[in-house]
Amino acid sequence: MFEEYYREPEPAKRKKILDAYVPEDFDQEKLEQMKRLFEIRYSVDKNGVWADCFVRSFLELRMIAENMESVFASRRNKKMGTAALERLCLNRQEEFAEDVLYRELCHVTAVYISACTRDKNYTSFIWGLGKISDKKTVGKIRYDMQKVGEDIPKYLNAEEACRILSRAVKDTAEKMLEDL
């Protein structure tokens, strides 16, 4: 499958790859599913700025994970979490081949991890005055991945619906964090 497509973080470049390169032996149904997922995931405003709905949903799940213990936020968290899972197409798994959805969820996880490793606020302490060690950054990312991939599905009673997300988060985190 399109290795270059899944390595590219920029939506505009991903769109060009998806539209331009089509091997003859590639399953056309999967190609259509990839295009449909692309259209669901990304939008462009009138200024040409891309918005990534999957990253938004991933970040929302991460924020919910921080408030799971709050008694007063439980109803709101579950409502937001369910909506985030729907935006990640986890309620529409019958429409997409498992490997297509899995690869897209791996990609969004990789985008999140890459952003975390580059972000000065994420990799620092005391309002950006000092940088935490790479080992602590990896630990922090692992904690985030555990929350999104394991704790959120349990919290929302959606382990089966989140099976692909959990596997994508786990596999991508293991692969990317061993290199840090």
Side-chain angles (χ1 to χ4, degrees):
M1 274 170 57
F2 301 145
E3 294 305 320
E4 184 182 359
Y5 174 74
Y6 287 111
R7 279 193 305 267
E8 180 57 53
E10 297 298 321
K13 291 179 183 176
R14 293 185 88 212
K15 178 78 171 148
K16 284 181 184 176
I17 294 167
L18 190 59
D19 290 342
Y21 177 71
V22 183
E24 291 179 20
D25 62 339
F26 192 76
D27 184 347
Q28 293 303 308
E29 185 177 338
K30 284 187 179 181
L31 179 63
E32 289 304 314
Q33 291 174 6
M34 290 169 67
K35 288 180 178 181
R36 211 169 42 227
L37 267 178
F38 184 92
E39 296 301 321
I40 291 168
R41 180 174 176 176
Y42 298 107
S43 62
V44 183
D45 69 9
K46 62 184 176 188
N47 298 322
V49 177
W50 290 86
D52 189 334
C53 181
F54 278 27
V55 169
R56 171 188 167 204
S57 298
F58 199 90
L59 290 171
E60 284 180 356
L61 292 174
R62 178 64 193 90
M63 296 306 294
I64 291 166
E66 288 300 312
N67 296 316
M68 287 190 308
E69 302 302 320
S70 174
V71 175
F72 301 109
S74 178
R75 218 164 98 202
R76 180 187 53 129
N77 283 346
K78 289 184 180 185
K79 185 177 178 181
M80 280 179 55
T82 301
L85 296 179
E86 288 173 3
R87 281 192 304 277
L88 290 169
C89 297
L90 294 174
N91 64 329
R92 299 165 58 180
Q93 293 181 29
E94 67 281 348
E95 294 178 37
F96 301 101
E98 185 171 329
D99 62 322
V100 171
L101 189 54
Y102 168 79
R103 297 286 303 264
E104 202 64 31
L105 293 172
C106 285
H107 184 266
V108 75
T109 304
V111 168
Y112 176 83
I113 292 171
S114 294
C116 289
T117 58
R118 289 188 319 266
D119 184 63
K120 290 186 189 232
N121 290 323
Y122 192 89
T123 59
S124 67
F125 59 92
I126 312 176
W127 300 292
L129 295 176
K131 186 179 181 320
I132 62 175
S133 70
D134 289 345
K135 185 176 178 180
K136 285 187 179 181
T137 300
V138 168
K140 195 172 175 182
I141 294 170
R142 283 189 198 282
Y143 175 79
D144 288 353
M145 297 300 100
Q146 188 254 326
K147 287 291 192 182
V148 171
E150 296 174 25
D151 296 350
I152 288 288
K154 290 176 188 170
Y155 178 73
L156 298 174
N157 293 322
E159 291 95 338
E160 182 55 35
C162 293
R163 179 180 52 81
I164 298 172
L165 174 65
S166 296
R167 188 167 56 100
V169 167
K170 181 179 183 235
D171 294 350
T172 305
E174 285 177 4
K175 182 179 178 185
M176 288 186 74
L177 296 178
E178 73 184 20
D179 297 336
L180 293 179

